[in-house]
PDB file of all heavy atoms in Angstrom:
ATOM      1  N   VAL H 561      78.093  67.397  22.577  1.00  0.00           N
ATOM      2  CA  VAL H 561      77.115  68.414  22.784  1.00  0.00           C
ATOM      3  C   VAL H 561      77.342  69.453  21.909  1.00  0.00           C
ATOM      4  O   VAL H 561      78.518  69.811  21.530  1.00  0.00           O
ATOM      5  CB  VAL H 561      77.024  68.870  24.317  1.00  0.00           C
ATOM      6  CG1 VAL H 561      76.645  67.780  25.302  1.00  0.00           C
ATOM      7  CG2 VAL H 561      78.425  69.430  24.805  1.00  0.00           C
ATOM      8  N   THR H 562      76.233  70.152  21.544  1.00  0.00           N
ATOM      9  CA  THR H 562      76.405  71.260  20.537  1.00  0.00           C
ATOM     10  C   THR H 562      75.787  72.564  21.121  1.00  0.00           C
ATOM     11  O   THR H 562      74.700  72.533  21.688  1.00  0.00           O
ATOM     12  CB  THR H 562      75.573  70.912  19.215  1.00  0.00           C
ATOM     13  OG1 THR H 562      76.167  69.669  18.674  1.00  0.00           O
ATOM     14  CG2 THR H 562      75.724  71.955  18.112  1.00  0.00           C
ATOM     15  N   CYS H 563      76.586  73.637  20.997  1.00  0.00           N
ATOM     16  CA  CYS H 563      76.133  74.957  21.449  1.00  0.00           C
ATOM     17  C   CYS H 563      75.283  75.497  20.330  1.00  0.00           C
ATOM     18  O   CYS H 563      75.600  75.450  19.228  1.00  0.00           O
ATOM     19  CB  CYS H 563      77.463  75.748  21.687  1.00  0.00           C
ATOM     20  SG  CYS H 563      77.008  77.324  22.508  1.00  0.00           S
ATOM     21  N   LYS H 564      74.290  76.375  20.892  1.00  0.00           N
ATOM     22  CA  LYS H 564      73.404  77.100  19.976  1.00  0.00           C
ATOM     23  C   LYS H 564      74.208  78.110  19.213  1.00  0.00           C
ATOM     24  O   LYS H 564      73.850  78.538  18.090  1.00  0.00           O
ATOM     25  CB  LYS H 564      72.352  77.871  20.794  1.00  0.00           C
ATOM     26  CG  LYS H 564      71.393  76.951  21.465  1.00  0.00           C
ATOM     27  CD  LYS H 564      70.307  77.734  22.271  1.00  0.00           C
ATOM     28  CE  LYS H 564      69.542  76.720  23.006  1.00  0.00           C
ATOM     29  NZ  LYS H 564      68.628  77.459  24.003  1.00  0.00           N
ATOM     30  N   ASP H 565      75.235  78.707  19.792  1.00  0.00           N
ATOM     31  CA  ASP H 565      76.085  79.630  19.181  1.00  0.00           C
ATOM     32  C   ASP H 565      77.329  78.924  18.498  1.00  0.00           C
ATOM     33  O   ASP H 565      78.296  78.514  19.278  1.00  0.00           O
ATOM     34  CB  ASP H 565      76.573  80.805  20.242  1.00  0.00           C
ATOM     35  CG  ASP H 565      77.402  81.841  19.534  1.00  0.00           C
ATOM     36  OD1 ASP H 565      77.733  81.742  18.398  1.00  0.00           O
ATOM     37  OD2 ASP H 565      77.531  82.921  20.201  1.00  0.00           O
ATOM     38  N   PRO H 566      77.415  78.848  17.297  1.00  0.00           N
ATOM     39  CA  PRO H 566      78.698  78.156  16.625  1.00  0.00           C
ATOM     40  C   PRO H 566      79.897  78.799  17.043  1.00  0.00           C
ATOM     41  O   PRO H 566      80.912  78.081  17.018  1.00  0.00           O
ATOM     42  CB  PRO H 566      78.384  78.304  15.122  1.00  0.00           C
ATOM     43  CG  PRO H 566      77.017  78.834  14.965  1.00  0.00           C
ATOM     44  CD  PRO H 566      76.506  79.347  16.313  1.00  0.00           C
ATOM     45  N   ASP H 567      79.956  79.989  17.317  1.00  0.00           N
ATOM     46  CA  ASP H 567      81.247  80.656  17.640  1.00  0.00           C
ATOM     47  C   ASP H 567      81.815  80.166  19.061  1.00  0.00           C
ATOM     48  O   ASP H 567      82.993  80.281  19.271  1.00  0.00           O
ATOM     49  CB  ASP H 567      81.072  82.265  17.744  1.00  0.00           C
ATOM     50  CG  ASP H 567      80.979  82.839  16.391  1.00  0.00           C
ATOM     51  OD1 ASP H 567      81.464  82.331  15.443  1.00  0.00           O
ATOM     52  OD2 ASP H 567      80.393  83.922  16.302  1.00  0.00           O
ATOM     53  N   ASP H 568      80.928  79.627  19.811  1.00  0.00           N
ATOM     54  CA  ASP H 568      81.289  79.196  21.184  1.00  0.00           C
ATOM     55  C   ASP H 568      81.618  77.686  21.109  1.00  0.00           C
ATOM     56  O   ASP H 568      82.053  77.254  22.173  1.00  0.00           O
ATOM     57  CB  ASP H 568      80.160  79.434  22.253  1.00  0.00           C
ATOM     58  CG  ASP H 568      80.085  80.907  22.549  1.00  0.00           C
ATOM     59  OD1 ASP H 568      81.170  81.553  22.642  1.00  0.00           O
ATOM     60  OD2 ASP H 568      78.993  81.458  22.658  1.00  0.00           O
ATOM     61  N   GLN H 569      81.274  76.991  20.140  1.00  0.00           N
ATOM     62  CA  GLN H 569      81.577  75.523  20.075  1.00  0.00           C
ATOM     63  C   GLN H 569      82.980  75.197  20.286  1.00  0.00           C
ATOM     64  O   GLN H 569      83.311  74.219  21.016  1.00  0.00           O
ATOM     65  CB  GLN H 569      81.041  74.947  18.741  1.00  0.00           C
ATOM     66  CG  GLN H 569      81.030  73.465  18.830  1.00  0.00           C
ATOM     67  CD  GLN H 569      80.038  72.719  19.639  1.00  0.00           C
ATOM     68  OE1 GLN H 569      78.883  73.234  19.766  1.00  0.00           O
ATOM     69  NE2 GLN H 569      80.446  71.815  20.405  1.00  0.00           N
ATOM     70  N   LYS H 570      83.926  75.985  19.821  1.00  0.00           N
ATOM     71  CA  LYS H 570      85.314  75.622  19.980  1.00  0.00           C
ATOM     72  C   LYS H 570      85.757  75.699  21.360  1.00  0.00           C
ATOM     73  O   LYS H 570      86.607  74.882  21.823  1.00  0.00           O
ATOM     74  CB  LYS H 570      86.246  76.693  19.145  1.00  0.00           C
ATOM     75  CG  LYS H 570      86.088  78.061  19.547  1.00  0.00           C
ATOM     76  CD  LYS H 570      86.916  78.990  18.661  1.00  0.00           C
ATOM     77  CE  LYS H 570      86.423  80.386  18.551  1.00  0.00           C
ATOM     78  NZ  LYS H 570      85.224  80.561  17.805  1.00  0.00           N
ATOM     79  N   PHE H 571      85.122  76.569  22.247  1.00  0.00           N
ATOM     80  CA  PHE H 571      85.448  76.543  23.602  1.00  0.00           C
ATOM     81  C   PHE H 571      84.960  75.273  24.319  1.00  0.00           C
ATOM     82  O   PHE H 571      85.628  74.723  25.203  1.00  0.00           O
ATOM     83  CB  PHE H 571      84.860  77.812  24.383  1.00  0.00           C
ATOM     84  CG  PHE H 571      85.502  79.044  23.746  1.00  0.00           C
ATOM     85  CD1 PHE H 571      84.685  79.786  22.857  1.00  0.00           C
ATOM     86  CD2 PHE H 571      86.782  79.456  24.166  1.00  0.00           C
ATOM     87  CE1 PHE H 571      85.287  80.920  22.240  1.00  0.00           C
ATOM     88  CE2 PHE H 571      87.242  80.688  23.533  1.00  0.00           C
ATOM     89  CZ  PHE H 571      86.506  81.398  22.584  1.00  0.00           C
ATOM     90  N   ILE H 572      83.745  74.928  24.058  1.00  0.00           N
ATOM     91  CA  ILE H 572      83.107  73.719  24.569  1.00  0.00           C
ATOM     92  C   ILE H 572      83.870  72.477  24.109  1.00  0.00           C
ATOM     93  O   ILE H 572      84.170  71.573  25.042  1.00  0.00           O
ATOM     94  CB  ILE H 572      81.637  73.646  24.131  1.00  0.00           C
ATOM     95  CG1 ILE H 572      80.846  74.724  24.820  1.00  0.00           C
ATOM     96  CG2 ILE H 572      81.022  72.257  24.387  1.00  0.00           C
ATOM     97  CD1 ILE H 572      79.528  75.024  24.282  1.00  0.00           C
ATOM     98  N   ASP H 573      84.274  72.333  22.957  1.00  0.00           N
ATOM     99  CA  ASP H 573      85.065  71.142  22.449  1.00  0.00           C
ATOM    100  C   ASP H 573      86.297  71.035  23.201  1.00  0.00           C
ATOM    101  O   ASP H 573      86.689  69.873  23.608  1.00  0.00           O
ATOM    102  CB  ASP H 573      85.256  71.301  20.923  1.00  0.00           C
ATOM    103  CG  ASP H 573      84.015  71.328  20.067  1.00  0.00           C
ATOM    104  OD1 ASP H 573      82.966  70.895  20.550  1.00  0.00           O
ATOM    105  OD2 ASP H 573      84.124  71.795  18.951  1.00  0.00           O
TER     106      ASP H 573
END
Side-chain angles (χ1 to χ4, degrees):
V561 294
T562 301
C563 186
K564 292 177 191 173
D565 183 346
D567 287 337
D568 289 320
Q569 188 66 45
K570 62 185 156 286
F571 300 100
I572 291 167
D573 296 341

